[in-house]
């Protein structure tokens, strides 16, 4: 992997991966408050965070597929999203300035002009548009294949075929927490994320999906679930996957994973 591949974490599941001159944006969430959640750490992403050649949307939950945040993207921006999303999220119809492509596991989509290909992989997570959406759309992960192979897991739990489905990758962007005091089925906590790391065996990893949003009025309810997942993942990863370089980023911080080893 060449050191010109850069990963920037903007908070929650929102990252920019720059590879071979192509900017890939994951699950953009650019607001201070979403329903009962408020952003408790990190400044809001700057305008340049919304600049992308392609956007990867992992599933239909509003903190991952956020229509007002998508509205900030430049006209002509391409967005990959789960099959059936347009039927489940009527607000997408207002975003006529974007180029949507519905995908499912096994699809491979060329993006940009630098030879980058996005490969769609499965995730173990509830893919509905909550609270009452039907089970129409799968939750997805993506592997960005260019100078590096970067796995964006979206939201997922561990599943038996994870390593086979993801394949060989250089960098893994793994969720290690959530936005509430308890993690349900279909999520990774720091220990399960470290187990995923051991199975996938990338060269580098960046923990995401923690330490950004928290329910209003619940500051005193299990606060360690908000504050500690990043550090705990570093600790667990050192024990379970000691050959993987883990980069715990601050909000807005970037890393060139190969250069940082």
């Amino acid at each position: 992997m060449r050191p010109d591949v850069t990963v920037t974490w903007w908070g929650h599941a929102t990252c920019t991966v720059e590879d071979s001159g192509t900017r890939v944006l994951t699950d953009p969430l650019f607001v201070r408050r979403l329903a009962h959640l408020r952003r408790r750490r990190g400044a809001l992403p700057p305008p340049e965070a919304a600049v992308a050649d392609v956007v990867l949307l992992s599933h239909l939950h509003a903190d991952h597929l956020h229509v007002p945040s998508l509205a900030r993207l430049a006209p002509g921006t391409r967005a990959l999203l789960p099959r059936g999303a347009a039927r489940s999220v009527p607000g997408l119809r207002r975003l006529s300035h974007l180029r949507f492509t519905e995908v499912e596991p096994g699809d491979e989509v060329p993006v940009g002009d630098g030879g980058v290909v996005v490969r769609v992989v499965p995730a173990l997570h509830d893919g509905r548009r909550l609270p009452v959406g039907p089970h129409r759309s799968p939750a997805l992960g993506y592997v960005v294949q260019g100078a590096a192979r970067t796995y964006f897991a979206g939201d997922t739990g561990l599943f038996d075929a994870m390593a086979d489905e993801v394949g060989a990758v250089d960098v893994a962007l793994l969720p290690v927490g959530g936005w509430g005091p308890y993690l349900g089925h279909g999520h990774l906590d720091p220990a399960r994320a470290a187990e995923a790391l051991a199975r996938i065996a990338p060269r580098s990893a960046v923990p995401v999906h923690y330490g950004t949003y928290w329910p209003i009025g619940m500051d005193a309810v299990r606060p360690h679930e908000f504050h500690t997942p990043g550090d705990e993942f570093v600790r667990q990863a050192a024990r379970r996957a000691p050959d993987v370089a883990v980069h715990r980023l601050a909000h807005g911080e970037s890393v060139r994973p190969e250069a940082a080893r």
Side-chain angles (χ1 to χ4, degrees):
M1 176 173 50
R2 300 198 308 266
D4 58 351
V5 175
T6 302
V7 175
T8 304
W9 182 50
W10 303 111
H12 202 52
T14 306
C15 300
T16 295
V17 178
E18 298 176 75
D19 188 323
S20 305
T22 299
R23 285 177 62 92
V24 180
L25 177 65
T26 67
D27 287 352
L29 187 57
F30 298 147
V31 291
R32 194 171 302 281
R33 178 171 174 175
L34 171 63
H36 64 297
L37 305 178
R38 64 183 174 94
R39 191 177 182 109
R40 290 193 54 200
R41 186 176 292 173
L44 287 176
E48 56 263 31
V51 177
D53 297 292
V54 64
V55 178
L56 309 181
L57 301 167
S58 62
H59 61 290
L60 306 191
H61 294 176
D63 58 321
H64 292 258
L65 195 163
H66 185 246
V67 172
S69 293
L70 292 173
R72 301 186 188 184
L73 302 175
T77 303
R78 190 172 190 183
L80 308 187
L81 71 175
R83 170 186 41 79
R87 290 183 297 160
S88 298
V89 187
L92 291 174
R93 299 173 192 150
R94 303 196 303 268
L95 305 179
S96 58
H97 67 296
L98 303 179
R99 297 186 296 130
F100 288 110
T101 301
E102 294 193 351
V103 295
E104 60 186 0
D107 289 347
E108 295 189 358
V109 183
V111 298
D113 299 322
V116 172
V117 174
V118 174
R119 181 165 55 88
V120 186
V121 300
L124 179 63
H125 192 68
D126 186 341
R128 293 176 296 169
R129 185 67 166 182
L130 298 176
V132 293
H135 283 281
R136 286 178 176 161
S137 300
L140 304 175
Y142 297 92
V143 178
V144 180
Q145 301 177 156
R149 296 158 298 182
T150 302
Y151 170 46
F152 169 60
D155 256 0
T156 189
L158 284 169
F159 55 98
D160 290 342
M162 177 179 274
D164 291 335
E165 294 285 0
V166 173
V169 293
D170 300 295
V171 184
L173 312 179
L174 290 180
V176 301
W179 52 251
Y182 300 99
L183 286 174
H185 177 71
H187 292 86
L188 297 177
D189 62 10
R192 292 193 293 268
E195 173 60 25
L197 204 63
R199 296 184 187 185
I200 297 166
R203 296 165 64 96
S204 303
V206 175
V208 303
H209 203 270
Y210 77 99
T212 308
Y213 290 92
W214 201 247
I216 294 169
M218 296 188 70
D219 290 9
V221 179
R222 296 175 64 85
H224 63 283
E225 296 287 354
F226 177 83
H227 290 288
T228 64
D231 288 335
E232 180 63 14
F233 173 69
V234 171
R235 188 182 73 81
Q236 294 276 356
R239 183 168 65 87
R240 300 190 186 202
D243 293 332
V244 181
V246 177
H247 310 291
R248 190 180 70 79
L249 303 180
H251 291 80
E253 187 177 4
S254 301
V255 64
R256 291 181 175 180
E258 178 68 8
R261 285 176 66 87

